[in-house]
Amino acid sequence: MRVLVKALLTLLAAADVASAFVPPMQTKNFPCRVQSAVDDADTAASVQIPPFIASPVLEQVYPALIAHKDKYGNPNIPLGSADGKRCSTLRRLHFQNKLTEEEAAHLTDLGFRFHSFEDVYYECDFDEMLQKLMDYQQEFQTFQIPKKYEPDPELGAWVTMLRRLKQIDDLPEDQVSKLDAVEFEWISTRKCGSSFMKRYREVLDKLTEVHDVGGDEAVAELLSNDAEIKKWIDAQKQVLANGKLSESRVQYMEDLPGVDWMKEL
């Protein structure tokens, strides 16, 4: 009996010793996660939001804009994240004239890319915009909406792009069918656009014709011989240098085939 008790006590003592050396739960990953959260909070806290910012969307995304600019050299956060979606919302707010001039100017200084005229069509939901168009038609009994429609600039730009894309057979068939079903007027009866756009279309058509045949070299040769086109392009460069060329016109100029219009010709 004594032998059994002694053996039992020996086993219990060995168990106590073993438990003293049980390794703790591995938690080496947790400090990294906590540190990341702390770093994000510190980054956000270090960004001073300018007092003139009134837009809730801009106020919310502003620290992320600055962080993205510090890391990548620009504040244009791509889609795929909540902040990327907020950037897309900012562009729509700007096109709708819902950002203050000071907010828009500050974002421009940061290098934020706003919508060009063409972006509106690709960014907007088709069915949502179609409903807006139908509301306009019901009120005014026409689809001849001004390109620069002050109450809703986005709608005017969207309709203009519909007609332009239809002309070059680049509008999806399902969208064409929906517009045909409501008897949308594909031809604008309003006066042509600005003198810039008239001349731009002439230059674009000429450069496209030459580029399709001979590529960049043919365009370069044309520009060296056509003083009028060169003069017009140089004039737009000067307008840009004076800070008076709109974002949409900058995009138009960048779309000219075979022309790096920011360089000396």
Side-chain angles (χ1 to χ4, degrees), residues 188-219:
S188 175
T189 58
R190 303 183 66 86
K191 292 183 178 180
C192 295
S194 66
S195 58
F196 170 88
M197 286 307 302
K198 290 178 182 178
R199 183 57 175 153
Y200 175 81
R201 293 188 187 100
E202 294 171 357
V203 172
L204 176 63
D205 289 344
K206 184 64 176 179
L207 295 182
T208 300
E209 178 185 351
V210 172
H211 191 269
D212 287 347
V213 175
D216 291 354
E217 291 184 0
V219 171

Side-chain angles (χ1 to χ4, degrees), residues 106-126:
H106 184 62
L107 286 169
T108 299
D109 290 341
L110 290 175
F112 187 77
R113 183 182 67 82
F114 288 113
H115 278 329
S116 67
F117 197 74
E118 289 81 357
D119 288 336
V120 172
Y121 168 79
Y122 297 104
E123 292 286 341
C124 294
D125 179 78
F126 178 85

Side-chain angles (χ1 to χ4, degrees), residues 15-27:
D16 288 340
V17 171
S19 65
F21 289 97
V22 172
M25 181 182 295
Q26 297 297 315
T27 59

Side-chain angles (χ1 to χ4, degrees), residues 126 130 166 171-184 186:
F126 178 85
L130 179 58
K166 178 66 162 53
L171 196 65
E173 284 300 323
D174 63 319
Q175 295 182 10
V176 173
S177 297
K178 288 181 178 180
L179 290 162
D180 283 341
V182 298
E183 299 183 350
F184 176 69
W186 290 106

Side-chain angles (χ1 to χ4, degrees), residues 211-228:
H211 191 269
D212 287 347
V213 175
D216 291 354
E217 291 184 0
V219 171
E221 183 178 355
L222 170 68
L223 294 175
S224 66
N225 296 322
D226 193 321
E228 288 301 316

Side-chain angles (χ1 to χ4, degrees), residues 104-161:
H106 184 62
L107 286 169
T108 299
D109 290 341
L110 290 175
F112 187 77
R113 183 182 67 82
F114 288 113
H115 278 329
S116 67
F117 197 74
E118 289 81 357
D119 288 336
V120 172
Y121 168 79
Y122 297 104
E123 292 286 341
C124 294
D125 179 78
F126 178 85
D127 291 325
E128 176 187 337
M129 297 304 293
L130 179 58
Q131 184 57 57
K132 284 186 176 185
L133 179 60
M134 295 309 300
D135 292 341
Y136 178 90
Q137 196 277 338
Q138 185 174 9
E139 180 177 358
F140 298 102
Q141 298 299 304
T142 181
F143 287 111
Q144 298 297 328
I145 182 172
K147 182 173 69 173
K148 296 181 180 179
Y149 179 50
E150 290 298 332
D152 191 346
E154 199 171 49
L155 180 59
W158 183 77
V159 169
T160 300
M161 280 302 298

Side-chain angles (χ1 to χ4, degrees), residues 24-39:
M25 181 182 295
Q26 297 297 315
T27 59
K28 63 180 180 179
N29 289 331
F30 290 102
C32 294
R33 182 173 297 178
V34 173
Q35 185 64 42
S36 175
V38 171
D39 287 344

